[in-house]
Amino acid sequence: MARVVGGLTTSHIPAIGNAVPREEQLVNDPYWKEFFAAYPPARAWLRQAKPDVAVVIYNDHGLNFFLDKMPTFAIGAAPKYQNADEGWGIPTIPPFEGDPELSWHIINTLVQEEFDVTSCQEMLVDHGFTVPMSLFWPGNTYQGVRTIPICINTVQHPLPSPLRCFKLGQAIGRAIESYPKDLKVVVLGTGGLSHQLDGERAGFINKKFDELCLDKIVNEPSVLTRMSIHELVREAGAQGAEFILWLAMRGVLHHRVKKVHSSYHIAISNTATGLLVLENAA
Ligand code: DHB
Ligand code: FE
């Protein structure tokens, strides 16, 4: 049977995607040094975990879905996923491999469990997906992992609640662990932590709240899932609402998890960056 071996979360700021190919030159750069220093333990964990598939829970920021059509939950079921120009030039990364059979198994299970997701047999993936993939597996080969993009709306209200996203994650976990092939699966939750890019509170960061999130998500996610989406926006900023993607990741994992690694750094661009590696209890 397929097995979820662990979950990883990271911020997905586009500037990071731009910096990753120059990481070796930036390790002593005062701006990037501390940020990149956090990633080797996550990469080492992935090298020993050797996942076959990465389920990537992220948000589309306007590349594949725009304000005219905005699904709350969408899942890729394509053999390949391509990035495209998001306004800063044609991407230079190769497409990502999909696993349509596992995608359809997850879609079927979710709809049976009353999560009526949008299935996408064609889907462009934006920086919310590509930056974490490049950060965790630098060099554009991704250790051969196949990917399942799962997209949650964090862009246009109404957004799904933290609890709804956690429950979606639980259903995704049940779907994966009922798949009859022997696959090792990791789940990624991307985005966060606190940030607001626009409006009166542009530049808003809430370190105290981020630290609470990084702590409670490990063993007491119910402290976080009882928040409303409006409380989350107030505490984390308009784009800090991306934390619902982390909660969906946490829902996929078992009740008991082991924290392998975490890191927090203020700031890259306008965002407080967070990193977490959780191993699933056997
Ligand atoms: C930034 C952060 C994001 O989450 C994003 O999607 C785009 C930009 C930033 O801090 O620059
Ligand atoms: Fe974002």
Side-chain angles (χ1 to χ4, degrees):
M1 301 296 279
R3 210 154 47 84
V4 179
V5 291
L8 300 94
T9 57
T10 176
S11 305
H12 59 216
I13 304 152
I16 300 169
N18 193 33
V20 165
R22 294 178 292 123
E23 183 177 340
E24 271 169 45
Q25 290 107 276
L26 295 174
V27 283
N28 291 316
D29 183 283
Y31 187 83
W32 289 103
K33 196 174 157 169
E34 197 188 325
F35 174 78
F36 279 122
Y39 283 81
R43 293 166 182 163
W45 182 83
L46 281 166
R47 276 195 300 275
Q48 61 79 34
K50 295 191 183 66
D52 302 290
V53 176
V55 169
V56 184
I57 303 175
Y58 74 108
N59 59 319
D60 183 272
H61 302 71
L63 180 70
N64 192 73
F65 302 113
F66 199 58
L67 304 180
D68 58 335
K69 297 178 203 76
M70 185 56 69
T72 302
F73 302 124
I75 304 195
K80 275 202 171 25
Y81 303 98
Q82 198 106 37
N83 188 209
D85 191 355
E86 292 185 61
W88 44 81
I90 305 292
T92 52
I93 53 171
F96 297 84
E97 291 294 317
D99 185 334
E101 194 185 319
L102 177 56
S103 287
W104 282 112
H105 174 79
I106 296 172
I107 292 165
N108 282 319
T109 310
L110 289 179
V111 174
Q112 265 164 33
E113 293 210 19
E114 300 174 2
F115 284 95
D116 302 314
V117 293
T118 302
S119 54
C120 305
Q121 299 195 63
E122 287 182 5
M123 194 178 192
L124 292 172
V125 287
D126 81 353
H127 65 272
F129 178 102
T130 63
V131 168
M133 289 298 296
S134 309
L135 255 176
F136 286 136
W137 291 280
N140 295 336
T141 57
Y142 316 106
Q143 248 180 281
V145 296
R146 302 187 296 282
T147 59
I148 314 268
I150 300 190
C151 189
I152 299 181
N153 169 31
T154 73
V155 171
Q156 175 164 260
H157 287 267
L159 311 186
S161 72
L163 182 61
R164 181 74 174 152
C165 294
F166 185 79
K167 287 181 173 174
L168 175 79
Q170 290 178 310
I172 294 167
R174 286 190 291 274
I176 295 167
E177 301 207 325
S178 66
Y179 189 61
K181 287 192 178 169
D182 274 328
L183 294 178
K184 289 199 273 181
V185 180
V186 288
V187 54
L188 270 51
T190 93
L193 287 168
S194 60
H195 62 302
Q196 171 139 347
L197 303 179
D198 48 20
E200 271 177 30
R201 291 204 304 166
F204 173 80
I205 279 175
N206 185 348
K207 183 176 179 194
K208 217 169 145 208
F209 180 72
D210 289 338
E211 286 173 343
L212 176 86
C213 290
L214 271 168
D215 176 34
K216 297 297 179 193
I217 196 172
V218 181
N219 288 316
E220 273 181 281
S222 62
V223 170
L224 306 169
T225 55
R226 65 170 86 101
M227 259 184 308
S228 72
I229 194 73
H230 293 103
E231 284 168 316
L232 179 59
V233 168
R234 188 184 67 215
E235 295 300 324
Q239 282 72 38
E242 289 172 347
F243 187 65
I244 56 177
L245 310 167
W246 289 43
L247 287 172
M249 177 289 305
R250 181 63 187 87
V252 179
L253 303 181
H254 297 161
H255 182 65
R256 277 191 41 244
V257 292
K258 186 179 114 191
K259 183 165 109 177
V260 176
H261 180 57
S262 76
S263 160
Y264 181 71
H265 172 66
I266 297 173
I268 296 295
S269 182
N270 291 299
T271 299
T273 66
L275 166 67
L276 194 57
V277 182
L278 299 177
E279 196 168 277
N280 229 359

